[in-house]
Amino acid sequence: MAGEQSASKKPAVITVNTNWCKGCEICVAFCPKDCLEMEGGKCRVARPDDCIKCMLCELRCPDFAITVE
Amino acid sequence: MFDYLQYVRQENFPHIWCAGCGDGIVLKALIRTMDKLGLSQDETVMVSGIGCSSRTPGYVDINTLHTTHGRAIAFATGVKIANPDLNVIVVTGDGDATAIGGNHFIHAARRNIDLTVLLYNNYIYGMTGGQCSPTTPRGANASTAQHGNLEPAFNISGLAIAAGASFVARGDAYHVKKLETLIGKALQKKGFSLVEVVSPCPTAFGRRNKMASPVKMMEQLRDTVVSVEKWEKMTGEERKGRFRTGILRDIEKPEFTAEYAKLIEKMRPEE
Ligand code: SF4
Ligand code: SF4
Ligand code: SF4
């Protein structure tokens, strides 16, 4: 579907709620594209352009702190 | 992006659980499943006892009951019998449900009352300081077993099957999509349903057992979990140090509140 295709081509918007993030590193360790890093004990979005929107970071974050759109 | 915020009590966040605790991961899987099944927030009740996982009701915007240690299933039984139309979910842990609450657990399974029990098995008493629970593996360290636990562990799913539960599944906090499927099946089952979720406790268990990092605990789940289908084909040697996840029992049998309703009909005086 054309609509779906254009949606998937849109660059990912990854948002970290640093007030809720506890720095467990789970999202960083299991991102298949190495998009995320740790900085000052919190997750930081380092390479959003490489994101394939697999959603694994959002699914596994124990703190409801990271979202991918 | 999934919108969790409509299901949580945002004012209570950030939640109390430690960095990398599996409890939040499991709660998110439950929320997504409730959403997928279209469970009404007003007609769903969550009941818990005491322990880290039992803090869950404080974070979910449904009807919630935080009760006494080991007694969640007893309170939930009362809720379900009073109003069988409600979806009643029990959130409990290995200590809460299989030590102090062990009798409630086996007898609810035997009675086959329509409750969905999400049992977070993290092998330890987290909240009270890392004491051995009935599922602490033999040889593992705990604050009450500083030279290694001497006791064999309960197989919780096996216990529920033996006691008569109609649905029993085991999942884990790493394989979250599979966990969602298992929780969904448990919620839809009319009868006592258990989902045992093997979930990391990096603080009370991990730190004492060379797995202080949450990532390490998740890697261990990734590397030791085997599907029930694959498990069947493995030799005893290959199964060592691993455990299976998936549906372990799914049978039809009379459900308690349905039987109770029939009895009420039967006893109704004739006009
Ligand atoms: S959605 Fe997948 S690829 Fe994108 S940041 Fe998250 S884990 Fe990495
Ligand atoms: S998984 Fe969540 S809490 Fe953990 S580091 Fe990533 S954003 Fe932070
Ligand atoms: S002590 Fe363990 S189970 Fe309790 S919140 Fe911390 S990590 Fe989770």
Side-chain angles (χ1 to χ4, degrees):
Chain A
M1 274 188 291
E4 248 176 41
Q5 219 170 33
S6 59
S8 68
K9 272 187 191 152
K10 266 205 305 197
V13 181
I14 310 167
T15 315
V16 180
N17 177 347
T18 49
N19 290 324
W20 289 7
C21 169
K22 296 194 186 116
C24 69
E25 290 186 47
I26 288 173
C27 59
V28 176
F30 298 106
C31 168
K33 290 291 169 187
D34 200 20
C35 301
L36 311 167
E37 283 178 4
M38 293 304 292
E39 188 182 81
K42 306 269 177 182
C43 164
R44 185 177 77 89
V45 184
R47 286 165 289 276
D49 293 347
D50 295 344
C51 174
I52 51 168
K53 298 191 192 176
C54 68
M55 311 307 281
L56 287 174
C57 54
E58 184 184 307
L59 285 165
R60 294 206 187 101
C61 169
D63 284 274
F64 300 69
I66 185 165
T67 56
V68 182
E69 271 177 276
Chain B
M1 181 183 137
F2 182 91
D3 180 18
Y4 294 96
L5 298 185
Q6 55 173 316
Y7 287 99
V8 301
R9 297 179 180 154
Q10 287 180 56
E11 65 276 17
N12 293 346
F13 278 70
H15 58 56
I16 195 174
W17 297 311
C18 310
C21 174
D23 292 3
I25 305 177
V26 183
L27 171 57
K28 284 169 68 183
L30 171 66
I31 289 175
R32 290 193 302 275
T33 313
M34 283 177 48
D35 184 82
K36 205 180 332 175
L37 297 179
L39 249 57
S40 148
Q41 283 166 261
D42 290 334
E43 282 154 36
T44 304
V45 185
M46 180 185 275
V47 187
S48 74
I50 297 294
C52 292
S53 55
S54 292
R55 299 295 294 254
T56 307
Y59 302 114
V60 204
D61 189 13
I62 54 178
N63 303 287
T64 55
L65 210 59
H66 188 181
T67 73
T68 52
H69 201 16
R71 314 298 166 209
I73 288 176
F75 282 88
T77 299
V79 172
K80 185 71 189 180
I81 291 174
N83 186 352
D85 292 336
L86 296 171
N87 310 304
V88 184
I89 302 169
V90 172
V91 178
T92 181
D94 41 299
D96 193 53
T98 67
I100 184 167
N103 270 317
H104 297 299
F105 180 71
I106 55 176
H107 292 291
R110 174 181 62 80
R111 192 174 288 136
N112 198 36
I113 183 162
D114 184 27
L115 305 175
T116 302
V117 177
L118 261 188
L119 194 159
Y120 301 51
N121 184 1
N122 58 16
Y123 307 137
I124 201 101
Y125 280 92
M127 181 181 276
T128 49
Q131 294 86 353
C132 273
S133 85
T135 62
T136 305
R138 187 183 248 163
N141 296 325
S143 62
T144 49
Q146 302 200 3
H147 307 284
N149 179 27
L150 299 175
E151 301 175 16
F154 253 156
N155 173 341
I156 292 181
S157 290
L159 182 66
I161 291 170
S166 58
F167 182 90
V168 177
R170 189 187 291 123
D172 70 275
Y174 179 84
H175 301 90
V176 280
K177 293 304 275 182
K178 180 170 181 177
L179 179 60
E180 245 175 86
T181 310
L182 297 173
I183 295 175
K185 291 214 171 359
L187 284 170
Q188 287 171 292
K189 183 79 185 184
K190 189 102 184 106
F192 186 90
S193 322
L194 169 75
V195 183
E196 174 193 355
V197 191
V198 181
S199 173
C201 166
T203 302
F205 187 82
R207 279 189 197 167
R208 290 186 175 84
N209 291 283
K210 300 196 182 77
M211 279 182 294
S213 117
V215 170
K216 215 160 168 194
M217 294 212 77
M218 291 289 272
E219 281 170 351
Q220 209 217 15
L221 287 175
R222 179 192 65 195
D223 300 338
T224 55
V225 166
V226 178
S227 70
V228 281
E229 296 79 16
K230 198 168 164 207
W231 182 264
E232 290 311 316
K233 299 189 192 104
M234 288 166 78
T235 63
E237 195 51 41
E238 288 168 332
R239 288 177 181 175
K240 261 205 184 125
R242 295 171 175 268
F243 66 92
R244 62 188 154 155
T245 60
I247 297 173
L248 303 170
R249 170 179 263 202
D250 189 1
I251 58 164
E252 298 304 324
K253 59 193 284 192
E255 189 276 324
F256 182 78
T257 59
E259 295 301 305
Y260 198 82
K262 281 189 214 160
L263 178 63
I264 292 173
E265 265 322 300
K266 203 171 117 190
M267 303 307 279
R268 223 180 267 288
E270 289 186 22
E271 297 288 314

